[in-house]
Amino acid sequence: APHLAYALLGGGARGSQPPLLVVLILLAAALAAIGLVHDRRTRELSRIRSRFVANVSHELRTPLAQISMFAETLHLGRERSAAEGRHFAAIILAEARRLTNLVEGVLRYSRHERGQATLQRELVDVTHEIAESVDAFAPIARAADVIVSVSGVEAWAEVERAAIRQIILNLLDNAVKHGGRGSTVGIRTHPDGSELRIEVDDAGPGIPATWRERVFERFTGVEGRNVAGAGIGLSVVRDLVLAHGGRVWIEDSPRGGARVVVALPAATVPHVPPAESLVTTP
């Protein structure tokens, strides 16, 4: 019967569903769209990977060249005075610290990408960790002729020591790059309600409001800025701050540049009872 033939060729009874040809066309269109999206995503990931490798390679090349050059100068005894030798040694130390910070940042980024980032939290005096981080950063600051000014009150939080130091080092490095030689970087801690705030100010050109969210994305820098970097520093900062249940944002700095604000859940200062007197009885 004609209606049975139509059912077989058209995929069903007349009027009950669209013809098979239409279904196949729609399915092919959907598969083509999925293929285009997948291809675009693959090319985007390839581009991001290539840019990441290029950025990291550039970041590694510069300090390695500095270390090699000044180490060779010292090895051959070509320094003109003991003071110049100490200066060369300070540059080597600064560049070695910068390499260490870069490698730590890349490792943390890699662990986060693989979903292996875990925090070992403990009650920490954040002000003390900042002082230790600034001390570790001192060779880099001296090599860049930058002064780091630290202020604030004693502040405690449940954080991972290594993570908070990575946050501080990344922010200091970012501030030095944007502030430029001869500038001053300020870092301050202060309580704000239930949060502990860490503010890092630079004296650079600042960051436009339209870029203040985007700079926390991976491999993103402010357009038109010729600032070296792997493009993951602020991204690592954001990931670590969010992992601690905190917030991070950028605002204008009184120094004329940018201020990066990290807000972490504050903790109560631990009470340490006085030591008991030793009483001896006859």
Side-chain angles (χ1 to χ4, degrees), residues 51 57 67 83 190 197 282:
R51 185 169 58 181
S57 299
I67 290 171
H190 68 95
R197 290 200 178 188

Side-chain angles (χ1 to χ4, degrees), residues 58-71 87-103 136-145 173 176-177 181 228:
H58 176 75
E59 280 287 276
L60 290 172
R61 185 184 300 116
T62 302
L64 284 174
Q66 292 276 81
I67 290 171
S68 298
M69 180 178 66
F70 288 111
H87 175 65
F88 290 167
I91 292 176
I92 291 172
L93 177 60
E95 296 300 336
R97 291 275 174 84
R98 188 181 294 278
L99 282 175
T100 301
N101 295 342
L102 174 62
V103 171
F137 189 78
I140 299 175
R142 283 196 297 268
D145 192 24
D173 192 56
V176 167
K177 287 177 180 177
R181 298 190 64 84

Side-chain angles (χ1 to χ4, degrees), residues 5 42 56-57 74 81 94 100-101 103 111 124 151 153 169-170 173 179-180 196 210 217 221 278:
T42 300
V56 171
S57 299
L74 292 174
S81 64
T100 301
N101 295 342
V103 171
R111 286 195 292 268
V124 169
S151 62
V153 299
L169 290 172
N170 282 13
D173 192 56
L196 162 64
T210 54
E217 299 174 2
L278 180 63

